[in-house]
Amino acid sequence: MIAKHLIAATVAGVASISAMANSTDPNNPSGTVVDRFADIEVLRYTVPGFNELSLDQKKFIYYLTEAALAGRDILWDQNGRYNLPLRGVLEAVYTTYDGDRRDPQFLAFEKYLKQVEFGNGAYHHYSTDKFVPGFTQEWFEAQARKAANKEASAFDAANPVWAQLMQLMFDPTFMPKRVNQAEGADLILTSANNFYEGVTQKEVEDYYNALKNPDDPTPPSYGLNTKVTKLDGKVVEIPYKIGGLYSAAIERIVANLEKALPYAETSQQEASIKELIRYYTTGDLRAFDAYSILWTEDTTPVVDFVNGFIESYGDPLGMTGSWESIVNFKNQKASHRTEVISNAAQWFEDHSPVNPRFRKPQVKGVSAKVINAAILAGDAYPSTPIGINLPNANWIRAAHGSKSVTIENITQAYDDASHGNGFNEEFVIDAPTRELMDKYLFITDNLHTDLHECLGHGSGRLLPGVDPDALKAHGSTLEETRADLFALYYLADPYLLELGLLDNPDSYKAEYYKYMLNGLMTQLMRIEPGKDVEEAHMRNRKLIAEWALEHGRDRNVVELVKRDGKTFVKINDYEALRGLFGQLLAEIQRIKSEGDYAAGAALVEKYAVKVDPTLHREVLHRYATLDIAPYKGFVNPVYTPVTDASGNITDIRVDYTEGYLPQMFRYSRDYSPLTR
Ligand code: ZN
């Protein structure tokens, strides 16, 4: 699964408080705001390290990005059967419009167009609700008639789907939601997505139940690449493949995969691409599984990619995959960081502040891979995940493992963008703390994640005979607490300077401040008034922060202070705070090692769940005044081959200047095999 939930954490949370003010540096546009409309902010990301790749790696990436862009129309059509004609007429009206561009009708139309481009169709990418136009049908029909006179591709009232387009845009009861999950409704008939047509939920379920064999240890992902409909009264699947549905787009994907093939970095990567081509050519789900296994087990290449029908959140029954592609390459610098930590795993374990009985005599660190995205496409564009964890098939994960990566240039762009959005100024207590965070939060936040993932979860051991599930419903909260405390404790260790991972003994304070602020206050902005904290990571952060606040009270280690009626976190003694983190780590490790459910439950219930309603109201109010867009997305860089006199590619140039609508219009013009 692509870890979409992680995005929300970064966008809304303090995790996004920034590092360098790159967004103001014209030479590094990472995090630049390219466009802002409705509830959306469109940012730019950069691709550090691309220019240092070999020519073959650049060519490999180039053809894979072409394969990624070639699939764009597939997702649009999957998201709703009138989306492609809708896009055609909206773009034609926009480009041929010769009236006043400050006319309120036109401005409302422009906003609607930008929303539709962002949603890859008429529906919000997150809520899946239909967009509501702020202009009138009369105005729009008049513009469309004018556009039709100027551009043959524009639609007019004589078009066969015109009536449906007008209903889609102006009738709120017509196909109102892309994915309906409401209990009791026929989820297929009431969802506007285009994975099904003319069939009921019951017919679809009966169809798949008849296909499934419960004794198959390696079941294919039924329905992943098909549209289900009826033919002569019988339920049938129409496969997405060459010669099937979306053939023209898939042919172009395959043609570019074939061009990429000679540049594969390992023979296994070459074999996996061949299986992917076979899958696109035949529609055979067993070929997709073969591809997935080869892909999962091949961990050596620098350049890697996802291209296919992957996530099924868009299907209320969770069967059919939305088309997406992400092309990426290993971020050597960041991956070096995780290797250094991983290689020193035993040192960290031996010096951990827990009872030696609970330490692992022999510990092996995991070295997480950090990547930079080169292109985002399909369901991963413009809204994108910050991590990838694939494949999705459970039996493949069990037998062959999975790949889990974080996309550092995307998190960097979020981080850069959040700088200057007013968040720090509103919530961080004073200028010196803000400066420290500006300088060191990006690196310490990343190191915190590395320590948490590479060492924290793998540290410690259970005493013999202890049930690993002894902590039951509180297991995941306490496990995240343990991993976070391990990371927090070591973030302040001078050993990190010795390893060359940090260059200032005070840098850890940036993460400490952010962590306490988030755990005590700012993460509450994601909780509705009157509700408890439920999500495991949020509970864990609250547990740690509230526990440290209370247990440091006698020495005034951390306090909540009021200034001009506003609450601020004030840390008076960072070293003592580190001591408290170590002390709590020892206790949480004891609870885990001994399977002490009662003690674990008591900690969670006392510190992690209940919200102070007054403070909560204050946080929500202060956050609302900041006017930070709740959703963010990205424009892609533009890759252009540089050729010599005889047409050979000598370099791939990367450019970061394209705007949001220009990029959308260029994609519609150059990568739209399904609309002509
Ligand atoms: Zn974790």
Side-chain angles (χ1 to χ4, degrees):
M1 281 142 273
I2 284 191
K4 295 199 168 141
H5 57 280
L6 289 174
I7 297 182
T10 303
V11 175
V14 191
S16 57
I17 294 180
S18 159
M20 313 303 173
N22 280 340
S23 37
T24 55
D25 175 359
N27 298 316
N28 187 356
S30 168
T32 308
V33 179
V34 180
D35 212 333
R36 171 87 202 251
F37 49 92
D39 54 356
I40 302 288
E41 197 166 71
V42 181
L43 307 175
R44 202 179 293 291
Y45 66 94
T46 57
V47 192
F50 181 81
N51 290 332
E52 287 73 57
L53 295 172
S54 72
L55 179 58
D56 276 359
Q57 287 170 326
K58 287 181 186 174
K59 286 194 208 165
F60 191 29
I61 288 176
Y62 175 71
Y63 291 121
L64 293 173
T65 63
E66 289 289 302
L69 297 175
R72 178 173 182 246
D73 283 358
I74 297 175
L75 181 76
W76 278 74
D77 193 68
Q78 285 183 311
N79 280 348
R81 73 190 64 123
Y82 303 115
N83 280 336
L84 287 173
L86 174 69
R87 189 182 77 197
V89 71
L90 294 181
E91 291 185 356
V93 165
Y94 188 84
T95 47
T96 58
Y97 181 78
D98 56 8
D100 181 1
R101 293 203 165 226
R102 289 159 307 174
D103 177 355
Q105 293 277 352
F106 178 80
L107 289 173
F109 165 70
E110 184 177 49
K111 173 179 158 190
Y112 179 79
L113 166 67
K114 287 178 178 179
Q115 288 180 295
V116 170
E117 298 282 4
F118 198 92
N120 293 291
Y123 303 88
H124 193 277
H125 71 286
Y126 192 80
S127 73
T128 80
D129 292 330
K130 200 163 75 168
F131 296 122
V132 181
F135 48 96
T136 66
Q137 184 167 348
E138 293 67 43
W139 181 87
F140 182 73
E141 292 204 71
Q143 305 311 316
R145 262 192 301 274
K146 275 195 251 168
N149 292 334
K150 289 185 189 158
E151 199 177 291
S153 69
F155 280 63
D156 62 24
N159 186 273
V161 297
W162 188 257
Q164 287 90 330
L165 281 184
M166 290 305 96
Q167 274 191 293
L168 182 67
M169 291 175 72
F170 297 104
D171 177 355
T173 64
F174 178 79
M175 300 174 80
K177 205 165 171 74
R178 178 161 60 82
V179 189
N180 185 26
Q181 299 277 20
E183 195 95 35
D186 184 311
L187 302 183
I188 298 297
L189 292 179
T190 57
S191 292
N193 67 61
N194 195 21
F195 299 127
Y196 305 93
E197 191 166 352
V199 285
T200 65
Q201 182 176 350
K202 170 129 195 350
E203 285 170 329
V204 174
E205 284 169 349
D206 289 349
Y207 172 82
Y208 282 122
N209 285 338
L211 270 188
K212 280 179 192 162
N213 170 12
D215 301 324
D216 186 349
T218 62
S221 306
Y222 289 112
L224 189 69
N225 62 339
T226 61
K227 174 170 175 168
V228 176
T229 184
K230 263 190 201 159
L231 213 70
D232 302 327
K234 244 184 76 201
V235 175
V236 292
E237 284 180 86
I238 308 175
Y240 307 149
K241 62 166 192 168
I242 291 182
L245 206 49
Y246 306 139
S247 187
I250 295 174
E251 284 164 42
R252 190 153 162 194
I253 293 170
V254 166
N256 281 292
L257 290 177
E258 277 166 351
K259 285 185 196 164
L261 205 47
Y263 303 102
E265 294 182 83
T266 63
S267 54
Q268 181 146 350
Q269 189 172 41
E270 188 184 341
S272 79
I273 296 172
K274 283 181 176 161
E275 281 300 324
L276 182 60
I277 292 172
R278 187 166 77 84
Y279 163 62
Y280 273 136
T281 310
T282 63
D284 180 2
L285 286 170
R286 303 275 179 191
F288 183 65
D289 287 344
Y291 151 77
S292 297
I293 292 167
L294 287 164
W295 178 81
T296 303
E297 292 186 337
D298 190 25
T299 53
T300 48
V302 172
V303 177
D304 202 355
F305 71 100
V306 174
N307 185 312
F309 306 98
I310 309 294
E311 304 294 346
S312 55
Y313 303 112
D315 176 356
L317 299 187
M319 309 291 292
T320 305
S322 298
W323 189 88
E324 71 173 35
S325 182
I326 295 180
V327 181
N328 64 77
F329 59 94
K330 193 172 170 184
N331 179 324
Q332 304 287 6
K333 209 171 123 204
S335 297
H336 169 75
R337 204 174 64 211
T338 63
E339 277 156 27
V340 167
I341 288 171
S342 194
N343 290 339
Q346 194 64 52
W347 185 93
F348 286 100
E349 185 73 2
D350 294 346
H351 293 78
S352 148
V354 308
N355 187 318
R357 288 194 305 139
F358 306 144
R359 289 187 196 137
K360 263 202 186 101
Q362 222 134 60
V363 66
K364 205 175 166 297
V366 187
S367 111
K369 196 168 118 175
V370 183
I371 62 170
N372 284 338
I375 205 116
L376 312 165
D379 204 26
Y381 168 87
S383 171
T384 199
I386 58 169
I388 303 174
N389 188 343
L390 288 172
N392 282 333
N394 285 324
W395 68 266
I396 299 180
R397 295 173 75 87
H400 305 275
S402 62
K403 276 189 196 170
S404 175
V405 298
T406 48
I407 313 178
E408 185 147 304
N409 61 333
I410 297 298
T411 59
Q412 174 86 59
Y414 276 127
D415 217 72
D416 294 336
S418 67
H419 188 87
N421 67 7
F423 191 100
N424 286 10
E425 287 70 15
E426 179 60 40
F427 287 106
V428 177
I429 188 160
D430 52 30
T433 311
R434 281 198 293 273
E435 274 159 34
L436 199 68
M437 291 166 84
D438 280 350
K439 239 174 146 177
Y440 290 108
L441 190 56
F442 187 70
I443 177 63
T444 54
D445 223 11
N446 280 330
L447 270 174
H448 178 272
T449 305
D450 298 339
L451 289 163
H452 174 117
E453 300 292 349
C454 303
L455 302 180
H457 281 305
S459 73
R461 63 168 166 180
L462 301 183
L463 292 185
V466 170
D467 175 3
D469 295 323
L471 303 177
K472 294 183 242 183
H474 298 306
S476 50
T477 295
L478 291 167
E479 178 54 24
E480 295 308 327
T481 305
R482 200 173 69 88
D484 259 2
L485 286 165
F486 194 96
L488 287 167
Y489 178 79
Y490 277 119
L491 205 53
D493 201 292
Y495 191 50
L496 294 191
L497 281 88
E498 239 176 86
L499 288 173
L501 298 170
L502 288 174
D503 60 9
N504 181 333
D506 285 332
S507 48
Y508 76 95
K509 294 176 183 173
E511 176 72 10
Y512 272 30
Y513 189 84
K514 177 218 114 171
Y515 198 93
M516 293 301 288
L517 173 63
N518 195 27
L520 292 172
M521 289 178 57
T522 46
Q523 71 166 354
L524 295 177
M525 67 204 164
R526 284 151 62 200
I527 304 286
E528 283 175 49
K531 295 260 167 72
D532 288 341
V533 177
E534 284 178 16
E535 199 272 327
H537 293 84
M538 290 182 70
R539 281 191 169 182
N540 118 55
R541 294 193 279 262
K542 184 158 155 52
L543 196 166
I544 292 172
E546 298 277 3
W547 188 95
L549 178 69
E550 184 179 303
H551 286 75
R553 192 158 281 146
D554 53 343
R555 288 167 289 156
N556 202 19
V557 176
V558 183
E559 58 185 324
L560 291 176
V561 297
K562 287 268 186 190
R563 289 192 182 164
D564 302 327
K566 291 178 179 178
T567 310
F568 289 91
V569 172
K570 184 161 183 265
I571 300 180
N572 298 309
D573 188 343
Y574 279 93
E575 264 175 66
L577 183 56
R578 186 194 184 206
L580 288 168
F581 289 152
Q583 200 185 325
L584 184 57
L585 174 58
E587 172 61 2
I588 301 281
Q589 184 60 57
R590 181 199 68 74
I591 288 169
K592 168 117 181 168
S593 293
E594 295 178 352
D596 186 347
Y597 174 79
L603 278 176
V604 173
E605 277 151 25
K606 181 160 183 202
Y607 298 104
V609 181
K610 288 289 167 208
V611 179
D612 171 356
T614 313
L615 184 62
H616 190 191
R617 256 195 311 276
E618 182 193 322
V619 169
L620 290 176
H621 175 74
R622 286 166 68 186
Y623 187 67
T625 60
L626 293 177
D627 191 31
I628 296 174
Y631 302 101
K632 292 181 171 56
F634 293 90
V635 289
N636 282 314
V638 183
Y639 297 93
T640 314
V642 180
T643 50
D644 63 16
S646 35
N648 301 310
I649 295 177
T650 55
D651 197 7
I652 304 290
R653 218 176 27 228
V654 56
D655 177 84
Y656 304 112
T657 55
E658 193 168 36
Y660 172 64
L661 280 185
Q663 178 153 98
M664 292 297 180
F665 289 5
R666 181 172 64 87
Y667 287 173
S668 297
R669 189 189 68 217
D670 296 347
Y671 299 94
S672 193
L674 297 185
T675 59
R676 54 207 64 184

